[in-house]
Amino acid sequence: MKPICVLTSWVFYILLSILWAAQMLPYWLILQGPAAPIFEGDPLVLRCQAWQDWPLTEVTFYRDGSALAPPGPNKEFSIALVQEEDSGYYHCSGIFRSPGLGNQETASTVAITVQELFPAPVLTALLSAEPQEGGPVTLSCQTKLSPQRSAAHHLLYSFYKDGRILRSRGLSSEFQIPTASVEHSGSYWCEAATDDGQVWKHSPELEIRVQGPSSSTTSSTWNPAPQKQAAPATSPKKPSEPLPPLPTSTSEHAGFSSPDPHLHHQMRILLKHMQDVRVLLGHMVMELRDLSSSLKSGITKAPDK
């Protein structure tokens, strides 16, 4: 009885081989993948399915021609959370236990594309990246979920400055500073993450530099209005000698760069104030010379009377 069963199996295998060679059977092996589109953060399950579910051994899964794991009895291969890097051309191979001589069969290649769930966010300052001191600053973390998954997920936003967190995962994509000061200057970035925390992405860094009082306001405060002369001068005035220029931040610190950007910003403001003081001193010197000339003219005319 046993030889008859073995002979029947061999005949059946030979018949299947003839049908397969005549293309009357599709394939010995089929790689079954996901039917719906797959996105970042989704699980991926692949199954190496034999014709008529014949038992397999030495099953191997491949991506882009490279084996993903050693051969084994498991006919399924899974990735818990796929990324875009998992996209590629997959196939599998295996050896039939029976019937046959144990030849290795290979399934056709299946292309799997992992779609982007949402692009990396971009952090922007709504008004300016160089706001004035005392004014508001609004930062916006801009990204958008794929329309195919907008109903299944929503994004949470976090904001960071100089390596420390300002706000952890909230629904609003904006972060506001009501009154900006020089201390708010620094490097900012944001993070967008799905509500289940499976996918998260960071934005590039954005440099925020809070500006001090404007130079026009400072100049109008320090420059006095010109005054009329008390009497016409009889002797020609000597041209005022220009005061030596103050060293600028570039010349003064040619060989040194401050590691603190806030200190460098405050030094620039101080140098501006010193230049305004120099202008004021120039006006005062001119006024004193005019007053001295007027007094000399009055003293000269008094004996003639």
Side-chain angles (χ1 to χ4, degrees):
M1 187 67 182
K2 185 175 181 180
I4 297 176
C5 294
V6 173
L7 179 62
T8 303
S9 298
W10 275 98
V11 172
F12 183 68
Y13 176 75
I14 293 172
L15 179 60
L16 290 178
S17 300
I18 294 173
L19 292 175
W20 180 80
Q23 296 185 353
M24 297 180 65
L25 288 176
Y27 297 100
W28 285 111
L29 287 180
I30 295 177
L31 181 64
Q32 297 176 337
I38 186 170
F39 287 83
E40 294 174 299
D42 290 346
L44 173 64
V45 179
L46 301 176
R47 179 175 175 81
C48 197
Q49 180 66 41
W51 188 81
Q52 292 293 326
D53 202 21
W54 282 97
L56 292 173
T57 185
E58 300 295 316
V59 180
T60 308
F61 291 86
Y62 303 84
R63 181 181 67 217
D64 297 331
S66 300
L68 298 174
N74 196 349
K75 295 191 292 184
E76 287 190 354
F77 176 81
S78 62
I79 301 176
L81 300 173
V82 295
Q83 302 176 357
E84 288 185 282
E85 293 77 10
D86 295 317
S87 299
Y89 293 93
Y90 289 77
H91 74 277
C92 68
S93 65
I95 298 176
F96 282 78
R97 289 182 180 175
S98 63
L101 300 175
N103 293 329
Q104 186 180 51
E105 300 293 340
T106 302
S108 297
T109 300
V110 175
I112 293 180
T113 302
V114 179
Q115 301 186 38
E116 187 179 54
L117 185 60
F118 60 91
V122 176
L123 184 64
T124 59
L126 294 186
L127 296 179
S128 172
E130 296 184 353
Q132 292 295 324
E133 189 174 13
V137 177
T138 301
L139 302 178
S140 177
C141 191
Q142 300 175 357
T143 188
K144 190 176 182 180
L145 276 169
S146 170
Q148 294 177 274
R149 293 300 176 90
S150 58
H153 294 283
H154 62 268
L155 295 178
L156 302 177
Y157 301 90
S158 303
F159 293 85
Y160 300 83
K161 174 184 178 290
D162 296 334
R164 53 188 185 83
I165 190 167
L166 299 176
R167 193 192 75 191
S168 180
R169 299 186 175 181
L171 292 174
S172 176
S173 61
E174 293 186 353
F175 179 78
Q176 294 184 345
I177 303 174
T179 305
S181 62
V182 177
E183 287 74 16
H184 289 110
S185 299
S187 180
Y188 290 77
W189 70 92
C190 68
E191 176 192 88
T194 54
D195 49 356
D196 57 6
Q198 301 294 349
V199 182
W200 63 91
K201 298 181 182 181
H202 288 179
S203 73
E205 294 185 358
L206 174 67
E207 292 293 329
I208 298 293
R209 290 289 173 259
V210 180
Q211 304 297 317
S214 62
S215 57
S216 59
T217 305
T218 306
S219 300
S220 62
T221 304
W222 285 97
N223 292 343
Q227 299 178 0
K228 294 183 179 180
Q229 299 179 1
T234 56
S235 60
K237 294 191 297 183
K238 297 181 181 179
S240 60
E241 298 179 359
L243 295 176
L246 288 173
T248 62
S249 59
T250 303
S251 60
E252 185 177 356
H253 303 279
F256 175 80
S257 59
S258 174
D260 189 352
H262 307 304
L263 178 60
H264 181 67
H265 177 71
Q266 293 175 355
M267 290 175 62
R268 290 175 56 188
I269 296 178
L270 179 60
L271 288 174
K272 177 60 182 173
H273 288 331
M274 293 174 66
Q275 291 174 355
D276 292 334
V277 171
R278 183 174 64 88
V279 174
L280 177 60
L281 291 174
H283 284 288
M284 294 177 63
V285 169
M286 293 177 62
E287 294 296 334
L288 289 174
R289 287 181 177 177
D290 293 340
L291 181 59
S292 176
S293 299
S294 300
L295 292 175
K296 289 180 180 180
S297 175
I299 296 172
T300 304
K301 292 179 180 181
D304 295 340
K305 291 181 180 180

